[in-house]
Amino acid sequence: SGVVRMGDIEIRTYPVILGDHPDCSAGPPITIDWDYSKRQVMNLDIYESDRRKRSISELAIPYYDRKRLLKSFKRYSDQEISEAVSEVNRVKRQRQWSKK
């Protein structure tokens, strides 16, 4: 029988960008960019011992925090964010209509 061993892991940091996913409850959806900006290699055992487990509610980012993230570094304007929210709301309405 074979033995499985885990070694190092690679942790990458990705920029947050304006998303288009309609399951966002309110406000602008966010996602990560394809290109990462930083990477760190770490032993898996050390990572797991230092990592704090988080609940689903702790992973959710509130509306105003998402908007602040998108506006930081002057990445997106209020108009771009508003247009994305409008598009998400349009898709949500279409989904509701198609469920009927």
Side-chain angles (χ1 to χ4, degrees):
S1 82
V3 175
V4 176
R5 292 197 177 116
M6 300 293 181
D8 293 341
I9 61 169
E10 183 176 307
I11 301 170
R12 295 177 178 182
T13 303
Y14 292 83
V16 173
I17 61 172
L18 187 58
D20 61 359
H21 201 285
D23 281 346
C24 181
S25 60
I30 60 174
T31 191
I32 59 173
D33 202 352
W34 285 99
D35 299 320
Y36 59 92
S37 58
K38 191 167 74 170
R39 99 186 170 125
Q40 173 186 0
V41 177
M42 180 182 278
N43 178 276
L44 177 63
D45 293 327
I46 293 171
Y47 173 78
E48 286 295 331
S49 67
D50 291 345
R51 184 170 72 106
R52 183 177 75 83
K53 305 264 193 277
R54 295 181 290 175
S55 68
I56 296 293
S57 63
E58 289 177 299
L59 294 173
I61 302 173
Y63 167 86
Y64 290 108
D65 291 344
R66 280 183 273 129
K67 190 171 182 178
R68 184 179 43 77
L69 275 171
L70 291 168
K71 290 182 75 171
S72 66
F73 309 112
K74 303 195 183 321
R75 183 167 252 174
Y76 295 98
S77 68
D78 284 329
Q79 181 176 348
E80 290 171 308
I81 293 170
S82 179
E83 288 171 1
V85 170
S86 294
E87 177 63 16
V88 164
N89 289 336
R90 184 186 68 74
V91 171
K92 283 182 185 180
R93 284 190 302 275
Q94 279 183 331
R95 285 182 170 188
Q96 286 297 323
W97 182 81
S98 66
K99 284 182 182 179
K100 296 178 181 182

